[in-house]
Structures are given as structure tokens and as C-alpha cells.
Amino acid sequence: MNRKPLNIVAVTGGDTPPPQSKTTRREETQARMERLWLDDPEQFNPLRNSLQRERLERTFSLIQKHLSTSGILAADLGCGGGEISRRLRDQGAILHSLDIAGNALKKLKQGDMHDITP
């Protein structure tokens, strides 16, 4: 028995929008995050309420329990205003802090940037 693989050449019909490029999706996400940072930057502050502070403390207690941060090179992806970056830095890590929103990086740069590279 001679089997031939099924080759799908095109799909037609339906209301499916055309696929977007990665660049377009990234630009749309960046614009959305910039707007959120302009509208209410406090929504990204992990110290804004007791639930967020507790989550932050649990995160750091797990980090301290499972790894030594002294002298390590770390990346804080989606760093926001840099609260996590600064706490890791204070525990001895050297940080690269990244965020898609330029407004987040402006907030990060307002604080102490020793051993933190935005």
C-alpha cells in the first residue's frame, strides 16, 4: 500500500483574520503596555496592597530557600518599576532588567541603579 502525505495548500472560508507577523504583535503589545503605564502606573506596583506584598515576600523566601543570589547574573523580565530587581540586587545579584514598556524603564531608572542594567 503506497501512502502519500496530506499536503494542505490553503484554507479558505471562515472569518479568521489573516495571521499577524511577530513584529506587529510585539508593537501592539508594546503600545498597549505603554498606555497602561501612562493611565495608572500604580497598578504595576507590587507593594500596593497586602496581597501583592505577601506574594512578593513568598517569592523571595522561595528564592532564598532554593538558591544563593550572591554574585549571580540574573534577568528580571517584565521588571516594571524594578522592585524585584532591587531586592535581588540587595541580595548580591547583578541584574539585567527588561520591560516592553519604555514608561516602566523610566520608572526603574528613577531609583538606585547600582548593579542593575536596564
Side-chain angles (χ1 to χ4, degrees):
M1 183 184 224
N2 190 7
R3 292 186 174 203
K4 295 182 181 179
L6 178 61
N7 292 322
I8 299 175
V9 177
V11 177
T12 59
D15 294 331
T16 307
Q20 293 179 330
S21 71
K22 287 183 181 180
T23 302
T24 302
R25 286 193 312 263
R26 183 188 55 78
E27 289 169 348
E28 287 178 358
T29 301
Q30 183 176 13
R32 189 169 40 253
M33 294 307 294
E34 294 291 0
R35 174 54 55 197
L36 289 171
W37 269 92
L38 284 173
D39 289 345
D40 183 18
E42 189 61 24
Q43 68 183 315
F44 299 105
N45 181 359
L47 303 176
R48 71 183 177 275
N49 61 43
S50 61
L51 182 63
Q52 295 300 322
R53 285 189 301 271
E54 181 181 329
R55 181 184 60 81
L56 190 63
E57 292 304 321
R58 278 195 323 257
T59 300
F60 281 110
S61 113
L62 284 170
I63 289 171
Q64 288 174 334
K65 180 179 177 182
H66 294 287
L67 91 125
S68 170
T69 57
S70 182
I72 67 167
L73 180 61
D76 183 2
L77 305 178
C79 67
E83 182 64 32
I84 292 175
S85 294
R86 287 188 178 83
R87 291 190 72 178
L88 285 172
R89 186 258 334 261
D90 293 345
Q91 293 177 356
I94 299 167
L95 271 289
H96 288 277
S97 300
L98 300 104
D99 202 291
I100 194 167
N103 289 317
L105 295 176
K106 286 178 189 175
K107 175 80 170 165
L108 171 71
K109 292 175 185 177
Q110 290 174 355
D112 178 19
M113 294 296 294
H114 176 69
D115 284 339
I116 298 176
T117 304

